[in-house]
Amino acid sequence: MACCALQTVALMLGIIGMAGTFATTLMPQWKVSAFMGNIIVFETIWEGLWMVCVSHIKKHQCKFYGSLLALPTALDVSRALMCIACVLSVIAFLVALAGMKCIRCPGNDEQVKSKILLAAGALFLLTGVIVLSLVSFVAHNIIKDFHNPAIHVTQKRELGAALYLGWSTSAFLISSGAIFFSFCHCTEKPGRYRYSLPSGHRLSQPEHIRMKPLSVHSYV
């Protein structure tokens, strides 16, 4: 029962991580325009993987990026990695669901289920590492450009909400994968009992079953 409960917790963490991966990929708040000095700014710029949004007082407008060939290489790589992370998170969820030991089906093998959970844990861990690495890389570039004096103030950006969501998502994914890794060999084996009789006790036949040995005089 404890093993089943832990696997359920790991599955729930994986579901949250999967939803967070999709949300992080689609959110436009990867980069947010920075406010520095005494400059009064009436608009906020958000830059994501797929679109750029401008918020001006009470108006909010988003626009998808134009030509794919005109985009920076780092943005293309980020898109590809996050799409791969989304696909891996879905596959990891389906594999984990198939390997759950709480779900009993005819002909299930405990060893096969353990291997399936091991594969699900590896997929969740891989997804978490991809999200964590990419989000940290983007955050590093934002901080580096922010402190670069060669970049104009209007071009400086700050960390957006999508990056913080990505860090939280990676924590859920890695935790889920670690739990599946730890409890993939947790199997419930039925108890086996062996009964032995004391050496002084021997089975004896009842009195009415005992037969006397026949002698030659019995036929006379």
Side-chain angles (χ1 to χ4, degrees):
M1 293 300 293
C3 180
C4 182
L6 286 173
Q7 289 175 6
T8 304
V9 171
L11 184 64
M12 295 301 298
L13 292 175
I15 293 174
I16 296 174
M18 179 179 63
T21 303
F22 278 90
T24 303
T25 305
L26 298 176
M27 285 178 63
Q29 292 92 349
W30 282 65
K31 300 179 181 180
V32 183
S33 56
F35 301 99
M36 300 179 62
N38 297 323
I39 301 176
I40 300 176
V41 181
F42 294 98
E43 66 180 14
T44 303
I45 301 175
W46 298 332
E47 298 179 10
L49 299 179
W50 311 97
M51 66 182 72
V52 57
C53 298
V54 178
S55 177
H56 182 73
I57 305 177
K58 294 184 179 180
K59 295 181 180 180
H60 185 78
Q61 184 178 4
C62 293
K63 180 182 179 181
F64 287 95
Y65 295 116
S67 175
L68 295 177
L69 299 178
L71 295 176
T73 304
L75 183 59
D76 289 332
V77 173
S78 300
R79 283 182 171 186
L81 288 177
M82 288 305 297
C83 289
I84 292 174
C86 291
V87 174
L88 287 177
S89 64
V90 174
I91 296 176
F93 167 72
L94 296 177
V95 172
L97 193 63
M100 290 290 291
K101 297 177 182 178
C102 303
I103 303 176
R104 301 281 182 180
C105 297
N108 280 345
D109 188 357
E110 293 295 333
Q111 293 183 354
V112 174
K113 279 183 171 287
S114 297
K115 294 180 180 179
I116 293 175
L117 289 181
L118 184 64
L123 290 173
F124 274 125
L125 283 175
L126 179 60
T127 307
V129 170
I130 291 176
V131 175
L132 178 61
S133 301
L134 179 58
V135 170
S136 300
F137 175 75
V138 174
H140 170 73
N141 288 337
I142 293 175
I143 296 174
K144 182 180 67 175
D145 294 341
F146 185 85
H147 295 288
N148 188 358
I151 297 178
H152 194 266
V153 176
T154 57
Q155 300 297 324
K156 294 181 183 294
R157 297 292 183 263
E158 292 182 353
L159 305 180
L163 299 180
Y164 296 102
L165 179 60
W167 281 316
S168 303
T169 297
S170 62
F172 282 108
L173 291 170
I174 293 175
S175 299
S176 176
I179 293 176
F180 278 127
F181 253 112
S182 301
F183 294 93
C184 64
H185 298 294
C186 180
T187 56
E188 296 180 2
K189 297 181 180 180
R192 296 180 179 178
Y193 302 96
R194 297 180 63 183
Y195 297 95
S196 59
L197 292 175
S199 57
H201 293 76
R202 295 181 180 178
L203 293 176
S204 58
Q205 294 180 347
E207 293 292 335
H208 63 279
I209 299 180
R210 293 181 181 178
M211 298 180 62
K212 295 181 179 180
L214 296 178
S215 59
V216 180
H217 301 285
S218 300
Y219 295 96
V220 180

